[in-house]
Amino acid sequence: MVKVLAILYDGGKHAEEQPKLLGTTENALGMRPYCEKNGIELVVTSDKEGPDSEFNKHIVDADVLITTPFHPGYLTRELIATAKNLKLAITAGVGSDHVDLNAANERKITVAEVTGSNVVSVAEHVIMTILVLVRNFVPAHEQIKAGDWEVAAVAKGEYDLEGKVVGTLGAGRIGFRVLQRLKPFDCKELLYYDYNSLPEDAAKEVGVRRVEDLKDFLSQCDVVTLNCPLHEGTKGIINKETISYMKDGAWLVNTARGALCVAEDVAEAVNSGKLSGYGGDVWPKQPAPADHCWRTMANPLTKGGNAMVPHMSGTSLDAQIRYANGAIKILDNWRNGVPQTQSDLITENGEYATLSYGQRTGKK
Ligand code: NAI
């Protein structure tokens, strides 16, 4: 009997109120009927931390792991060593850095994700976050809730997006969709930094210019948006040194992965006023601790500049249907020996199957 272990977040009363919350433990990605019909043992849990967790207990004999980046079951090298039967790790969503991909390759575990399932959801969140920061929305809204009315206090940190230079670090599916959505804002210039170049017609469509040197790229942007996967080449790519290349008063948006940034360096840059603001939904470890420095950092001039939310951009209800169905399809392909859609594959047969997780040799 095939055993599938699903690590998902709890919905509680919200799952009762909203049955479309498919990514919860209660609704189990809508997989229960599929598993019952096909005689699959399905274990669903949110309990994922520590040696006594349900995750650690059940991974030992699971054939398939399914998890979401929103409440990731971190499949470390150590856990992989205990997971004797594991053949397939499915990401219900996009971004598989919660798996130690090198260790997965050594064991020839296939890692697959539902490519494209939430890229529009994230791109919309990026545009929202840029606007929330540049237009200094959060302190203005807090003022209203507090019963106050002091226009100057919020206008002193409020700008237009029009006329600014905006750059995306990573110009794949999400980065490109962000650029498409930025085009009508009449920014001064759109830039991208990526070792893979955009096709010429795509770059032309959005009017973006490629900058090949990271320092050169960061130093030209008023707004930087991070849209690359987390891997050895991008971990901590935003740190004290690279922040120093950025313009004074720039804004930084990160909906890609928290660990792309050195958290303390970002908080220091916001708290000191070097950055006007930072916003996003991804945290170095999730759930984020209650005292994480990104919860309370604030720009000294505006007392704002903080547009952080829990990991939610890619888990809109529209996205949940797509990644739930996509995860079942990947499982079904695997059970029936049907080749996976190539673009869904991160690792297969002991190799990286994508160009997005670093510049490697020996990739397909
Ligand atoms: P993609 O694979 O289409 O594009 C990623 C791009 O990043 C590629 O063009 C790649 O060449 C580039 N890249 C990789 N390393 C780089 C480096 N060192 N410097 C510059 N560029 C680099 O992936 P997609 O669909 O655009 O997703 C990107 C990431 O966004 C995911 O891996 C995930 O971490 C994150 N994500 C976050 C979500 C959320 O809910 N917050 C939801 C979906 C994705």
Side-chain angles (χ1 to χ4, degrees), residues 118 122 172-174 194-196 229 231 234 255-256 281 311 313-314 356:
N118 51 16
V122 179
R173 293 171 184 87
I174 296 173
D194 194 321
Y195 55 74
N196 286 310
H231 55 76
T234 57
T255 53
D281 65 328
H311 194 165
S313 69
S356 288

Side-chain angles (χ1 to χ4, degrees), residues 69-70 93-97 113-123 125-126 168-177 192-198 214 226-235 237 254-258 260 280-282 286 310-316 323 343 346 354-359:
F70 314 103
V94 173
S96 296
D97 52 278
E113 61 186 38
V114 191
T115 295
S117 57
N118 51 16
V119 294
V120 167
S121 323
V122 179
H125 197 100
V126 172
T168 175
L169 197 163
R173 293 171 184 87
I174 296 173
F176 180 68
R177 281 162 180 77
Y192 81 96
Y193 171 81
D194 194 321
Y195 55 74
N196 286 310
S197 59
L198 278 169
L214 181 61
L226 307 181
N227 295 296
C228 63
L230 175 64
H231 55 76
E232 302 98 316
T234 57
K235 188 165 185 224
I237 193 167
N254 179 11
T255 53
R257 282 298 176 261
L260 295 176
D281 65 328
V282 285
Q286 295 181 182
H311 194 165
M312 64 182 280
S313 69
T315 192
S316 66
Y323 67 64
S343 57
I346 305 300
T354 169
L355 295 168
S356 288
Y357 278 76
Q359 291 168 291

Side-chain angles (χ1 to χ4, degrees), residues 64-68 88-92 98 110 112-114 326-327 330-331:
V64 178
L65 170 70
I66 303 181
T67 187
T68 72
L88 174 65
I90 303 175
T91 305
H98 54 274
T110 298
E113 61 186 38
V114 191
I330 291 169
L331 176 62

